[in-house]
Amino acid sequence: MTNGARNFDRVAKLPAPGDNAAIATERLEAGTLIDRDGARFGLSHTVLEGHRFAAEPVREGGDLLSWGLPFGRALVDISPGDYLCNEKILAALDERNVDFDLPEAPNFRDSDLEAYELDEEGFRPGPQVALRDAPGTFSGYRRGGGRGVGTRNYVAIVGVTSRAGGFVKALEWKLRDAADGYGDIDGVVAVSHTEGGEEEAPNNLDLLLRTLSGFIVNPNVGAALVVDEGVGAVNNEALRSYMQENGYPLADVPHCFMSLGRSFGLDLKAAEETVLGWLETVGAARRTEEPLSELKVALQCGGSDAFSGVSANPLSAWAAKEVIRNGGAAVLAETDELIGAESYVLKSVRDLDTAKGFLGMVERFKERVGWHGHTAEGNPSGGNNYRGLYNISIKSIGAATKRDPEVRLEGVIEYAEPLREPGFRFMDSPGNDLESVAGEVASGCNMVFFTTGNGSITNFPFVPTIKVVTTTGRYKLLEAEMDLNAGAYLDGEPLEKVGREMFDLTVRAASGERTAGERAGHSQVSVWRNWRQTGAEDPERIRNLPAPDGEPLPLVDARRSDRTFEAIVTGRGYAADQVGLVMPTSLCSGQIALRIAALLDERSGDDRRRRLSRFVALPHTEGCGSSGGSSEALYSRTVLGHLSHPLVRFGLLLEHGCEKTHNDYFRARFSDAGFEPERFGWASVQLDGGIEKVTRRVEDWFTQALESSDDLRYETVSLEHLRLGLDVSGLLSDPAAGSLARLTSVVVGSGGTVVVPERSPLLGSAAYLSGTVGEGGVHNTLAYGQAAREPGFHVMESPTSDPIEAATGLGATGVEVMLAHVSGRPLQAHRMVPLLQASSHAKTLDRFGEDLDVALGGDPDSWSETMLDSVLEVASRRYTPKLFGQGNVGFQFTRGLLGVSM
């Protein structure tokens, strides 16, 4: 500092010579004087770490440059020291309630996202980096059938669709210690996901089958149990046929395709026996010295910030270059996060067809997103914005630096397409980190390089992840969750030195050294989610469909009953139960929320049990990596519906920290909805310092909330206070439909509430409709996930036929008990709202009777009363539905008709 001024090089970075937008390396207050090349200027406004200020004058209409590429165009003349801001970043900072004054207006607009024009005549192939004369080695598991070499040795339990999710997770829990003592087995892990649960074939069918096939034959898998329910377009037979037709080496993997066809308990026992029967064989595998050419590295970034392209991504690229020099492979992905950076990606390419293939995938991605009414500008998350990534152009420019300048692009592959050749390749995928990683793992990657600016903690279940954080400050905050500090390079260490440390760590991790994520025991999977539009529909028409008015439908035969149940007295009325809810605000905090809720239950004593019945977490796959607009509104509405649910006594929001729908986002939504944010707890995996520290923070908040609350009080109340969700799975006879109609009439006629999802077979039954709405017909009275404020009979819009997605929407309406009539296999239950399952179908009763709560036999006129008896037992907490109690549960948002991965 000279005469109160700061030296430019100590407080800012220019990513490339000729750039005119400087990145602040620390928070700089308004008025700070900066000395640069003999000139001095002052900062117009406070500039947060990672945000940009002008380093050179820029005339109105001029380009703002980072890495030599334009990311914005000046709206006014800009002087050195002016804080650079577009409209989006001002809105993002305003939502964060920053403690300094913001500019009144933006001074640049985003650069236009124009299609890159390839100069075919001037194209020249780029040189590839030289291979090493003596490639190195690592210690790995050699697999047959051309599968390559594993860096880990797992038994994978693969759910074919979302319908099998509850089962595979329950089996994973049951077998959590089973591999102990069996030699070199790293564990038994579940692979559950959100896809394929609807009856009709999804638009992502081929992609889904390809991904599941790749999971099964990944070299890190020593054996695979593949589980389906035997229904719908996505099933074991379709998957097995796909693998055979496309040459996957299934015969090399000990495997079993299992269709669930008995009770939950019997199926669990059979699956357990199958897995236990493999452990000796899988555990007999031994690591052997293998060439580094067998390493296939997935390159990913998540929770990126302004320094991702300056430190962590170049570092990851350097280590990937070393893998390639040793004959291995590295895979770049996240298509929408390269839009605007095409020129950098294509600076060095093997041939013209590869360049065309890459650009074709970019344009195809834009087109698919456009079918849903979105553009790539919807990609950057709230965490990206807050940490200095103003738009998709600047995010993409930084993301592209995962290709080292010495490395050329050798080829392109589809999402989850098997990786057959070495070198640097691009795989088509969305910017959603977890969905993109899944595709790379399915392509055969046996190692993940994951760079992060905010401090993303994500890991994949059976492939080790090396997490590289951009700055020393974030590394110190999250040291237990990170593997490498790229901030050392940012702070002055040579790239080659830090890169060599990362490469050496890669070899050690490939040889069995556990990464930070493995030590934490945290992982999750998300496959590229289905997209609903194919170009034939106008997204504006869908977006402008009239919203339900919330008014219940009149019934033709409302019947009053004097039946009662024992409810809990709350400050908001009566409730059937009281729980503590840990609500993750995005996909990346979901598994942490689940772990915390389980820990809180485990540590609870008698005091808690007098004030809460249990703790619940609702992990999901949304809140980041997906489009905004109507799908985001649907998501936030459903989250708010669960947090304000009558069953929830204490609710806490757990953010990851870098997502689109972070804690401050929900504080704003609470204010819009008239909620008091002070009612809820707030915690952040990243900002609170990682998994262990945030766990303590959440536990402390709930402890304080419980200590300041009274014991629960109970009263006997009428059906006026009953809120019931109804659905049907499978065939529905007229007698069963009639009994459900009578049940509806009794509850609603007594002043209570009944909600049915619009795609329920109930609403296609003349017997049900004639006993409820009669000639009046039905229409949606509630949006998906909209709380039912008025008692009565409601129909909730449900743009999905996936049962757990429908149940998730029902849960947010405020129903406190769900009842489903099933014909065939019983359903997964909602994680928080208990689901009773009844059947009058003889084969279902015979086959699944152990899992059913209500067997309907004898006189159908008595069935409605029988079902009501069971509903009131659950509402009085005297009975726990069987599958709900056994953990066959799930929770999954639909994205509606216009949601798409980004």
Side-chain angles (χ1 to χ4, degrees):
M1 182 179 293
T2 304
N3 296 326
R6 305 292 301 278
N7 182 279
F8 177 88
D9 292 332
R10 292 182 178 274
V11 298
K13 291 283 185 182
L14 288 172
D19 286 355
N20 55 19
I23 305 172
T25 56
E26 60 182 75
R27 174 171 167 154
L28 300 171
E29 301 300 330
T32 299
L33 297 177
I34 307 290
D35 281 341
R36 179 174 184 250
D37 296 336
R40 177 174 293 181
F41 53 82
L43 296 182
S44 63
H45 294 81
T46 295
V47 181
L48 292 175
E49 180 188 48
H51 287 239
R52 285 168 165 80
F53 61 88
E56 303 280 353
V58 182
R59 298 297 298 272
E60 180 181 348
D63 286 330
L64 298 174
L65 303 175
S66 269
W67 290 277
L69 297 174
F71 67 88
R73 181 157 292 177
L75 295 172
V76 295
D77 288 346
I78 296 175
S79 301
D82 284 354
Y83 172 53
L84 298 175
C85 54
N86 58 1
E87 186 175 348
K88 184 174 185 179
I89 208 69
L90 290 179
L93 293 178
D94 182 63
E95 186 172 70
R96 294 280 189 166
N97 297 310
V98 293
D99 61 353
F100 53 87
D101 292 333
L102 296 170
E104 293 183 0
N107 56 10
F108 79 89
R109 67 172 178 82
D110 297 337
S111 294
D112 295 328
L113 293 176
E114 298 176 351
Y116 179 82
E117 293 187 11
L118 181 65
D119 180 6
E120 296 188 25
E121 291 186 5
F123 177 85
R124 297 291 183 274
Q128 181 55 292
V129 64
L131 298 180
R132 291 202 174 277
D133 294 332
T137 62
F138 74 104
S139 181
Y141 299 96
R142 169 64 63 175
R143 308 295 190 187
R147 289 205 291 145
V149 175
T151 60
R152 295 294 183 270
N153 188 31
Y154 279 98
V155 176
I157 309 165
V158 181
V160 174
T161 74
S162 60
R163 291 173 182 250
F167 181 88
V168 300
K169 294 301 286 186
L171 182 59
E172 178 189 52
W173 177 251
K174 192 175 180 65
L175 294 170
R176 61 193 180 278
D177 300 321
D180 293 353
Y182 278 93
D184 281 2
I185 301 180
D186 289 293
V188 178
V189 294
V191 178
S192 62
H193 58 88
T194 60
E195 299 307 288
E198 299 193 65
E199 292 293 334
E200 61 271 17
N203 291 323
N204 69 344
L205 176 61
D206 188 69
L207 175 156
L208 175 57
L209 294 175
R210 191 163 63 234
T211 304
L212 296 174
S213 299
F215 285 167
I216 294 167
V217 301
N218 185 282
N220 285 9
V221 174
L225 177 65
V226 186
V227 182
D228 79 343
E229 286 200 345
V231 298
V234 185
N235 53 49
N236 276 344
E237 191 53 44
L239 178 57
R240 189 188 344 237
S241 297
Y242 184 90
M243 296 186 74
Q244 291 171 347
E245 292 167 5
N246 289 278
Y248 284 88
L250 181 60
D252 182 66
V253 187
H255 67 277
C256 175
F257 287 91
M258 176 182 180
S259 291
L260 304 178
R262 294 174 292 177
S263 72
F264 189 74
L266 288 175
D267 278 338
L268 271 180
K269 183 178 180 182
E272 180 183 15
E273 290 173 354
T274 297
V275 172
L276 291 176
W278 287 331
L279 294 183
E280 187 170 341
T281 300
V282 176
R286 291 293 179 268
R287 291 183 181 270
T288 54
E289 188 174 1
E290 301 291 345
L292 286 174
S293 59
E294 294 291 350
L295 280 187
K296 299 175 181 178
V297 179
L299 301 175
Q300 278 292 319
C301 54
S304 300
D305 70 1
F307 302 106
S308 293
V310 179
S311 64
N313 287 342
L315 178 61
S316 176
W318 195 97
K321 177 180 68 176
E322 285 301 300
V323 171
I324 292 168
R325 293 191 68 195
N326 281 274
V331 183
L332 179 69
E334 300 178 289
T335 307
D336 48 329
E337 295 187 5
L338 297 172
I339 294 172
E342 295 92 341
S343 62
Y344 181 88
V345 176
L346 298 178
K347 274 186 178 179
S348 185
V349 189
R350 177 179 180 174
D351 52 39
L352 191 58
D353 285 344
T354 297
K356 288 181 177 179
F358 169 72
L359 293 174
M361 288 178 172
V362 169
E363 291 306 310
R364 183 178 62 184
F365 194 96
K366 289 180 184 177
E367 181 183 34
R368 183 182 294 134
V369 169
W371 292 339
H372 298 78
H374 305 291
T375 72
E377 277 301 344
N379 170 284
S381 70
N384 294 153
N385 296 152
Y386 191 60
R387 295 278 292 171
L389 295 180
Y390 294 179
N391 55 32
I392 188 60
S393 295
I394 207 163
K395 184 175 182 179
S396 294
I397 295 166
T401 61
K402 291 193 289 291
R403 181 188 69 78
D404 188 274
E406 294 183 40
V407 171
R408 77 178 182 187
L409 180 63
E410 290 285 336
V412 297
I413 60 176
E414 296 289 351
Y415 182 88
E417 180 183 343
L419 186 63
R420 306 188 190 281
E421 302 291 338
F424 187 85
R425 299 184 182 270
F426 169 75
M427 183 197 75
D428 182 33
S429 83
N432 182 303
D433 313 331
L434 296 180
E435 295 180 15
S436 186
V437 167
E440 291 172 310
V441 168
S443 77
C445 288
N446 52 12
M447 178 69 67
V448 179
F449 289 173
F450 196 103
T451 63
T452 179
N454 284 270
S456 179
I457 63 165
T458 185
N459 303 279
F460 195 85
F462 56 80
V463 176
T465 299
I466 293 176
K467 290 195 290 297
V468 185
V469 69
T470 60
T471 62
T472 299
R474 280 284 158 150
Y475 180 77
K476 289 179 178 177
L477 179 66
L478 294 161
E479 191 167 356
E481 320 302 339
M482 299 294 120
D483 295 284
L484 200 71
N485 175 27
Y489 168 49
L490 194 65
D491 297 339
E493 292 279 357
L495 176 62
E496 292 76 12
K497 179 178 183 296
V498 188
R500 175 57 58 184
E501 291 175 7
M502 181 171 178
F503 180 71
D504 291 345
L505 173 60
T506 300
V507 176
R508 297 198 309 273
S511 301
E513 182 177 308
R514 297 174 77 200
T515 63
E518 290 175 304
R519 293 192 297 271
H522 167 262
S523 64
Q524 58 201 116
V525 179
S526 189
V527 176
W528 193 344
R529 292 203 69 178
N530 189 32
W531 52 91
R532 302 297 293 272
Q533 304 305 318
T534 57
E537 186 64 83
D538 177 14
E540 280 300 312
R541 187 197 70 80
I542 298 172
R543 190 178 291 115
N544 293 322
L545 290 172
D549 60 13
E551 294 295 323
L553 296 171
L555 296 189
V556 294
D557 185 23
R559 309 177 183 187
R560 191 161 189 85
S561 169
D562 59 2
R563 298 292 302 275
T564 60
F565 66 100
E566 186 185 63
I568 297 172
V569 182
T570 79
R572 296 176 289 149
Y574 296 101
D577 203 356
Q578 291 287 267
V579 306
L581 174 61
V582 183
M583 187 74 216
T585 66
S586 70
L587 63 169
C588 290
S589 56
Q591 296 305 312
I592 304 303
L594 202 60
R595 286 173 53 168
I596 291 174
L599 184 67
L600 291 171
D601 257 339
E602 182 182 309
R603 293 179 177 176
S604 294
D606 291 339
D607 286 346
R608 188 275 286 173
R609 282 184 277 273
R610 293 198 304 270
R611 294 165 188 176
L612 280 182
S613 70
R614 55 198 163 98
F615 287 96
V616 180
L618 300 176
H620 56 83
T621 62
E622 302 307 303
C624 203
S626 57
S627 53
S630 60
S631 59
E632 182 182 309
L634 177 155
Y635 162 72
S636 62
R637 179 174 63 238
T638 309
V639 169
L640 263 63
H642 283 90
L643 284 163
S644 61
H645 197 285
L647 294 182
V648 176
R649 187 175 195 187
F650 304 115
L652 177 141
L653 292 88
L654 178 65
E655 70 171 10
H656 186 214
C658 56
E659 58 267 71
K660 183 179 293 186
T661 56
H662 43 74
N663 278 349
D664 286 332
Y665 170 95
F666 275 109
R667 284 189 179 95
R669 303 291 88 73
F670 280 12
S671 296
D672 293 343
F675 298 166
E676 297 177 0
E678 297 75 19
R679 266 185 54 200
F680 301 91
W682 305 86
S684 174
V685 176
Q686 291 170 1
L687 296 181
D688 287 328
I691 296 173
E692 184 178 337
K693 290 179 181 178
V694 80
T695 298
R696 289 200 299 269
R697 179 182 174 92
V698 174
E699 186 172 18
D700 289 347
W701 185 85
F702 276 110
T703 298
Q704 185 176 1
L706 285 165
E707 287 176 350
S708 61
S709 65
D710 297 326
D711 289 354
L712 297 175
R713 294 189 300 112
Y714 306 90
E715 283 187 16
T716 299
V717 299
S718 69
L719 297 186
E720 173 188 354
H721 302 288
L722 182 65
R723 305 172 186 92
L724 177 66
L726 284 184
D727 203 358
V728 165
S729 176
L731 300 175
L732 180 67
S733 67
D734 283 350
S739 67
L740 290 167
R742 291 191 293 275
L743 176 61
T744 300
S745 294
V746 166
V747 173
V748 174
S750 303
T753 300
V754 172
V755 186
V756 178
E758 69 169 313
R759 296 183 67 166
S760 173
L762 264 181
L763 302 181
S765 165
Y768 181 76
L769 295 178
S770 64
T772 51
V773 296
E775 300 292 329
V778 295
H779 62 267
N780 295 337
T781 65
L782 299 173
Y784 179 93
Q786 178 184 351
R789 302 300 181 195
E790 297 293 329
F793 178 55
H794 288 280
V795 176
M796 181 195 75
E797 71 176 2
S798 185
T800 175
S801 61
D802 187 303
I804 198 61
E805 290 183 351
T808 297
L810 274 183
T813 67
V815 299
E816 299 174 69
V817 180
M818 296 184 194
L819 170 67
H821 182 282
V822 298
S823 176
R825 183 168 183 79
L827 300 170
Q828 287 183 83
H830 187 287
R831 282 188 175 274
M832 186 172 82
V833 182
L835 169 68
L836 274 165
Q837 307 204 53
S839 186
S840 59
H841 187 253
K843 289 184 179 180
T844 299
L845 290 167
D846 181 60
R847 195 172 183 183
F848 300 109
E850 290 183 27
D851 293 338
L852 296 170
D853 303 292
V854 185
L856 299 174
D859 183 4
D861 288 342
S862 68
W863 291 356
S864 61
E865 197 68 19
T866 299
M867 288 187 285
L868 181 58
D869 288 343
S870 295
V871 167
L872 297 181
E873 286 293 292
V874 174
S876 301
R877 301 157 309 287
R878 291 190 290 264
Y879 177 77
T880 299
K882 293 178 180 178
L883 290 182
F884 180 79
Q886 292 181 65
N888 188 18
V889 294
F891 185 83
Q892 177 178 313
F893 296 100
T894 178
R895 285 185 177 168
L897 300 177
L898 296 178
V900 62
S901 296
M902 299 180 75

